[in-house]
Structures are given as C-alpha cells and as structure tokens.
Amino acid sequence: MARVPASMPAVDRLGISAFRKMVIPMGIRQNTATYTFMPQIHSNSASGQDRAALINFFGRDTAIHHINNWMGDEGVIKSIGWSIMPAKTHEAYGKPVPVNPYFKSYLAQLPSMADKCVNVHGLTKDIALVKSVVADKYVKNGEYLVKLIWWTEDIDDGIYNEGCAEVALKYREEKI
C-alpha cells in the first residue's frame, strides 16, 4: 500500500476503498454505480480549481462561535440543534438519498425564511456568513432564555447549515 502524506485530508489519507467501507454500512448510498466521491462533485474543470466540501460540523462550529460572540461572557448555550442538506436538495442535484426521518427545518419557523432551505454544500475557500434571528424570549425555571434560529450562508446566499439554539442570558433591568 502506498504511503499518503499526513498533510492530505483524512478521507484522502484513508483512501477511497476505506471511505466506502465506512459509508456503505450507514446507508448513504445504494449502489456503487451511482457513487460519486464528494470532491468530484465540486470539481471546476474550467478554472482548474477543485474545491472539497466542508465537513458538515464546520458550519455548526462557526455558528457556535457566532452565538458565543452574540451572547457575551454572561450567556450560556443550553442546547443547540442543526440540520444539513435535506433529501429534496440532493435529489435536485441528481444525487437522490433516502429521506432522513429526523430531519428538521429550523428556517421554516421564521416567516421571512419559510421558503428557504439548505441548498448548497459549504466549500473550502468560501466565506461563511452566520446569520441569526431571535425567535422567542421566555422564562423557564427562573432562567431567562432566548430561542435563536441561525443559518450559515456562503457569499452567493447559498445556505449550507441551519439550526436553533437555546441561550440563557443574564436578566437585564429595562432602562426607563
């Protein structure tokens, strides 16, 4: 077996056959004929630039940084949930996958974003713009909580992650 430099992405170091062994049992693809390795999907032969898809938790981690900046030192993230590309988007790209019974659209909870969904993969060399809206404020068990709906966009307004966070904030007296 040929040695692969450690500087290569983890999937490339493992090799495609090892990657297939990991992916096939999870039911991500149905047969070898329709399998396409992710970087090939994003190959741009016209410009000669191949761009790999970001690992899905990158968008979540970027959103956590955004939420931490928004809530400040006194806030606490109580819970966070997120979704990635739904089956209907995969199908639109000609890459059908089984419907995830646990998929949840957080953007559908916002009237201004109800018609939006995750429609792209975040790609390397893209700008990640995390946006959020306070969807609800409430008190529960003596804690002042905020429900924050967030999403991650690329520079072309493509959405590649969406989610919701419950954040506990310190009570602030209203100024009169």
Side-chain angles (χ1 to χ4, degrees):
M1 184 168 143
R3 303 292 278 165
V4 179
S7 62
M8 291 183 75
V11 172
D12 292 335
R13 283 198 311 267
L14 289 171
I16 192 69
S17 61
F19 183 71
R20 283 183 180 146
K21 288 176 188 171
M22 291 185 304
V23 172
I24 294 170
M26 292 188 280
I28 291 175
R29 68 179 182 87
Q30 294 176 340
N31 61 55
T32 309
T34 61
Y35 179 73
T36 303
F37 187 53
M38 191 58 65
Q40 294 170 352
I41 293 172
H42 303 292
S43 178
N44 184 348
S45 58
S47 67
Q49 295 178 347
D50 287 335
R51 299 168 58 200
L54 296 170
I55 303 298
N56 288 325
F57 57 78
F58 174 81
R60 176 217 52 201
D61 290 352
T62 306
I64 290 171
H65 291 293
H66 166 82
I67 295 164
N68 279 322
N69 288 337
W70 175 81
M71 70 185 189
D73 295 335
E74 299 291 327
V76 176
I77 297 175
K78 302 300 275 186
S79 66
I80 188 165
W82 67 95
S83 292
I84 55 174
M85 192 175 284
K88 69 178 183 176
T89 303
H90 281 279
E91 190 169 335
Y93 281 109
K95 308 283 181 193
V97 297
V99 173
N100 178 352
Y102 304 107
F103 177 80
K104 184 173 183 179
S105 174
Y106 297 96
L107 294 177
Q109 299 173 40
L110 300 173
S112 64
M113 300 291 287
D115 62 337
K116 305 282 186 180
C117 70
V118 176
N119 58 359
V120 297
H121 274 290
L123 301 176
T124 54
K125 302 179 185 176
D126 271 352
I127 292 176
L129 303 167
V130 181
K131 298 180 179 181
S132 58
V133 171
V134 174
D136 196 10
K137 299 177 189 179
Y138 49 97
V139 179
K140 185 169 128 183
N141 299 327
E143 287 188 300
Y144 298 92
L145 302 169
V146 173
K147 179 180 177 182
L148 197 68
I149 306 283
W150 57 267
W151 62 97
T152 309
E153 294 182 358
D154 62 15
I155 200 163
D156 298 319
D157 295 327
I159 298 171
Y160 63 88
N161 247 3
E162 63 176 304
C164 179
E166 184 180 61
V167 178
L169 297 173
K170 185 176 177 180
Y171 178 72
R172 188 169 57 182
E173 296 274 340
E174 287 188 42
K175 294 180 183 178
I176 299 176

